[in-house]
Each structure stands twice: as C-alpha cells, then as structure tokens.
C-alpha cells in the first residue's frame, strides 16, 4: 500500500473518531443513553397501558375527560405511521386495558363489554369472551393464560380465566397495578408499595416504595422491571431493592419497550419515543 494513501486513511480514521467532548442525552438508564426522537400528541388525554406487538405496532389506552365524563379508548400507532388511530370495533369510552400474547402473537383488549382480540387482516377488534365481571385490566402470561382484574366487592382483585370460569387469585386484593413477566412472576403495586409474587413462592415479597396517583404501568425489559407511575423507577429482577430512579423524565403514566430496546413513555398529552444513542465520553 502506498504510504500517502495509508496516511490519508489514518487521518480519515482520526476524524471519524473525533467525537464531541460532551455528550448530552435526555435520559440514562444504567449505562445506556436515550434521546427523545419522536413525539405523538394525544390532545388532552393521558396515555396509559402501552404495548408494542411483535410487528412494531404500538397499542395504548388514552384516558381523558370531556363533556360526557371520563373515557378510556384504545389507539394504535401502526408501524411506520406517526398518527394514532382509534381501533375500530371496541366499545367507546370503556376500553381499559391491552395485553399482548407473545407466544401466539395476539393482541387482546379488556373492556366493560368483554375481551376482544385484534384481527390483523381487517385491522379491527372482535369480541371473543364475555366474563361476568366488571373488568378493569387484562394480562396474559407466558403460557397464554388470561387474567383479569375487577372489583366485585369494591376492591380490585385478580382472577384467572379458564374458559367461562374465573378463579380468584388470593393475595392480590386491593391492588392498583399488576403485570406478569415471562417467567410468570407477578409484580404489583398496592398503596404505593411494589411487590413481587414469584411463580415458585407462595407469598409476596416487598421490593420498594413507588409513587402512585391512579395511573401507571409496570413493564419488563431484559432483566429489569420498570414502574412508570409519576416517576420512572426500575430494579434488576435479582436485586432486593431499593428501586432506582430514572431522572430527566416528565411525570409518567405508561411505558413500553419495543423489540430492539427503544421505548415510549406516556405523559399528559403525549407519548415520547426514546431511542438509544451511542455516547462516547472522552476521558480527561
Ligand atoms: C440528544 O439530544 C440533545 C438535545 O436534546 C442533543 O443536544 C444531543 O446531541 C443528542 N445526543 C445524541 C447522542 O444524539
Ligand atoms: C416500514 O419501514 C421499514 C424501514 O424503516 C421498511 O423496511 C418497511 O418496508 C416499511 N413498511 C411499510 C409497510 O411501509
Ligand atoms: C425460585 O426460583 C429462583 C430462580 O428463578 C431461585 O433463585 C429461588 O431459590 C427459587 N425459590 C424457591 C423457594 O424454590
Ligand atoms: C416506604 O414507605 C414507608 C411508609 O409507607 C416508610 O415507612 C418506609 O421507610 C419507606 N421505605 C423506603 C425504603 O423508602
Ligand atoms: C439472576 O438470577 C437467576 C436465577 O437465580 C440467574 O440464573 C441469573 O444468572 C441471575 N442474573 C444476574 C444478572 O445475576
């Protein structure tokens, strides 16, 4: 190789690695840096319960209030779209919850009129089950079992659905938010305390305190469990606590990770998409 050419290449490489001295990003989780790359407006409504399906579509519930009172409606931002659309076929104002069955690649909606499934061909929701309970949220575990929460006695309780039967899950009374991970461990918030019921244990374990004001979401990414309820906090599943707090977020009400590890945060009036950024820091 010609020495001049070699020098030229060398200089090019130096330039390529001549990176900015300060790296500013919007937030940091452990050693990973993220910037907001997109904002989806939701008007006066607050996004809650956000979930990506396996295809990259983002489903979420919006909670709001207008002249008719409170409403919960399900929206979708389809992959490659920047507009949120209402999912057709669902009961208006009373569609509270979304669950993604990763095993079967299905999306379900929990509503006051029953459980609906998303039909990818017609792109609408279709009623599949009408449990005789006022349903507030819906979960699907790793084996595809469905769980609902409802409050027949005034306290939010958890039930496993088995066909048309519902089996009361004891120990979950008066819960505020609940989610199940890919090992069937249940994580839940009750009275601003965060607990886990591991699939192989018979009693819950207290993890830490979280803020909670009526809207929030628990989700999982790799070995971390995240709680978005006003503040954003997280903990490695093997850790015993306390929770770690992510700084630099607005007041959050929803969180969902996509397959590559980028995520959205819900806050009043919008969903913010955060993408991982390479951040080189020069040592002094
Ligand atoms: C992240 O966004 C900020 C502006 O909010 C910008 O100054 C910074 O350069 C971005 N960082 C990266 C690594 O893209
Ligand atoms: C969506 O975008 C990806 C790349 O970002 C592209 O490969 C794909 O073809 C697009 N899909 C549609 C339906 O436009
Ligand atoms: C439950 O499983 C975890 C690993 O997932 C293990 O560390 C723990 O010891 C198990 N506990 C019991 C009581 O078997
Ligand atoms: C959690 O909150 C309780 C009050 O509800 C308080 O007594 C306790 O010290 C808090 N624990 C931590 C680790 O902050
Ligand atoms: C967490 O615990 C599980 C089960 O005990 C173990 O297999 C895994 O290696 C642990 N992960 C870390 C990062 O410590």
């Amino acid at each position: 190789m010609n020495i001049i050419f070699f020098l030229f290449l060398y200089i090019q490489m130096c330039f390529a690695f001549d990176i900015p001295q300060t790296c500013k990003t919007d937030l940091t989780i452990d050693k990973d840096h993220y910037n907001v790359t997109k904002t989806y407006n939701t008007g006066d409504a607050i996004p809650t319960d956000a979930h990506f399906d396996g295809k990259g579509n983002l489903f979420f519930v919006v909670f709001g209030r207008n002249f008719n009172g409170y409403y919960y409606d399900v929206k979708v931002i389809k992959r490659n779209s920047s507009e949120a659309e209402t999912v057709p076929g669902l009961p208006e104002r009373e569609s509270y919850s979304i669950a993604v069955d990763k095993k079967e690649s299905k999306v379900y909606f929990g509503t006051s009129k029953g459980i609906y499934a998303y039909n990818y061909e017609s792109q609408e929701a279709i009623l599949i089950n009408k449990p005789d309970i006022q349903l507030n949220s819906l979960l699907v575990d790793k084996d595809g079992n469905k769980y609902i929460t409802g409050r027949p006695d005034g306290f939010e309780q958890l039930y496993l659905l088995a066909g048309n039967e519902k089996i009361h899950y004891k120990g979950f009374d008066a819960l505020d938010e609940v989610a199940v991970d890919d090992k069937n461990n249940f994580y839940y918030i009750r009275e601003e305390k965060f607990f886990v019921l591991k699939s192989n244990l018979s009693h819950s374990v207290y993890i830490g305190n979280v803020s909670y004001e009526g809207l929030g979401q628990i989700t999982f990414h790799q070995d971390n469990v995240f709680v978005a309820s006003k503040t954003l906090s997280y903990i490695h599943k093997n850790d015993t606590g306390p929770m770690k707090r992510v700084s630099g977020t607005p007041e959050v009400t929803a969180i969902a990770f996509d397959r590559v590890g980028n995520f959205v945060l819900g806050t009043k009036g919008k969903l913010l998409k955060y993408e991982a950024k390479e951040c080189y820091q020069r040592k002094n």
Side-chain angles (χ1 to χ4, degrees):
M1 193 191 287
N2 176 321
I3 185 72
I4 302 290
F5 182 62
F6 189 81
L7 261 176
F8 174 76
L9 259 188
Y10 181 77
I11 289 164
Q12 283 283 74
M13 281 174 67
C14 288
F15 274 116
F17 286 95
D18 188 12
I19 33 105
Q21 248 173 331
T22 55
C23 176
K24 217 176 132 277
T25 52
D26 295 331
L27 62 83
T28 301
I29 299 173
D30 287 337
K31 289 188 174 59
D32 298 324
H33 300 275
Y34 300 87
N35 257 4
V36 176
T37 56
K38 272 186 204 136
T39 300
Y40 305 105
N41 288 311
T42 59
D44 290 332
I46 306 175
T48 73
D49 210 17
H51 297 263
F52 282 96
D53 68 3
K55 299 174 168 64
N57 305 305
L58 174 63
F59 294 87
F60 59 101
V61 175
V62 288
F63 167 68
R65 189 182 182 169
N66 60 18
F67 46 86
N68 288 320
Y70 291 108
Y71 62 88
Y72 291 84
D73 285 316
V74 171
K75 305 271 181 185
V76 58
I77 298 168
K78 289 181 187 149
R79 188 188 163 174
N80 294 7
S81 168
S82 55
E83 294 288 322
E85 305 163 38
T86 300
V87 174
L90 289 170
E92 273 177 42
R93 312 182 69 84
E94 296 185 346
S95 295
Y96 305 113
S97 182
I98 297 163
V100 174
D101 182 344
K102 296 204 179 71
K103 194 172 155 218
E104 300 292 337
S105 311
K106 287 199 165 132
V107 180
Y108 296 106
F109 309 103
T111 80
S112 64
K113 304 273 190 310
I115 298 172
Y116 290 67
Y118 191 64
N119 181 312
Y120 281 96
E121 267 160 41
S122 63
Q123 308 201 343
E124 61 187 3
I126 291 167
L127 182 66
I128 58 161
N129 189 350
K130 279 182 82 163
D132 63 342
I133 191 170
Q134 183 71 36
L135 182 163
N136 287 330
S137 59
L138 174 68
L139 325 173
V140 176
D141 72 12
K142 74 169 169 53
D143 305 309
N145 299 308
K146 295 189 192 72
Y147 303 80
I148 57 174
T149 69
R151 45 176 72 214
D153 313 318
F155 286 121
E156 195 83 354
Q157 304 188 348
L158 184 72
Y159 301 87
L160 167 66
L161 289 184
N164 288 324
E165 297 285 297
K166 54 181 206 300
I167 301 161
H168 183 197
Y169 254 53
K170 296 205 171 62
F172 286 98
D173 300 348
L175 51 82
D176 292 314
E177 295 290 333
V178 58
V180 59
D181 74 1
D182 61 1
K183 298 197 171 58
N184 287 2
N185 303 309
F186 285 86
Y187 287 82
Y188 61 99
I189 300 172
R190 179 197 287 148
E191 292 172 350
E192 304 200 271
K193 290 191 171 57
F194 192 50
F195 298 91
V196 60
L197 179 61
K198 297 260 180 179
S199 55
N200 61 354
L201 289 180
S202 61
H203 60 272
S204 299
V205 177
Y206 165 77
I207 299 173
N209 293 346
V210 293
S211 51
Y212 188 75
E213 288 181 355
L215 289 176
Q217 187 170 9
I218 302 163
T219 199
F220 309 97
H221 178 59
Q222 291 170 344
D223 287 326
N224 286 322
V225 47
F226 287 82
V227 180
S229 61
K230 199 168 167 191
T231 58
L232 178 61
S233 51
Y234 67 103
I235 189 165
H236 190 281
K237 286 184 189 174
N238 288 4
D239 281 352
T240 51
M243 311 276 298
K244 292 180 195 162
R245 168 94 182 264
V246 178
S247 57
T249 68
E251 285 197 6
V252 288
T253 51
I255 180 167
F257 284 87
D258 68 12
R259 286 210 297 196
V260 297
N262 297 321
F263 61 93
V264 292
L265 291 181
T267 185
K268 191 176 189 316
K270 57 196 173 214
L271 274 168
L272 303 168
K273 173 88 188 261
Y274 287 83
E275 285 186 35
K277 294 284 171 193
E278 289 298 325
C279 215
Y280 306 96
Q281 237 139 13
R282 190 177 273 180
K283 289 208 177 91
N284 289 329

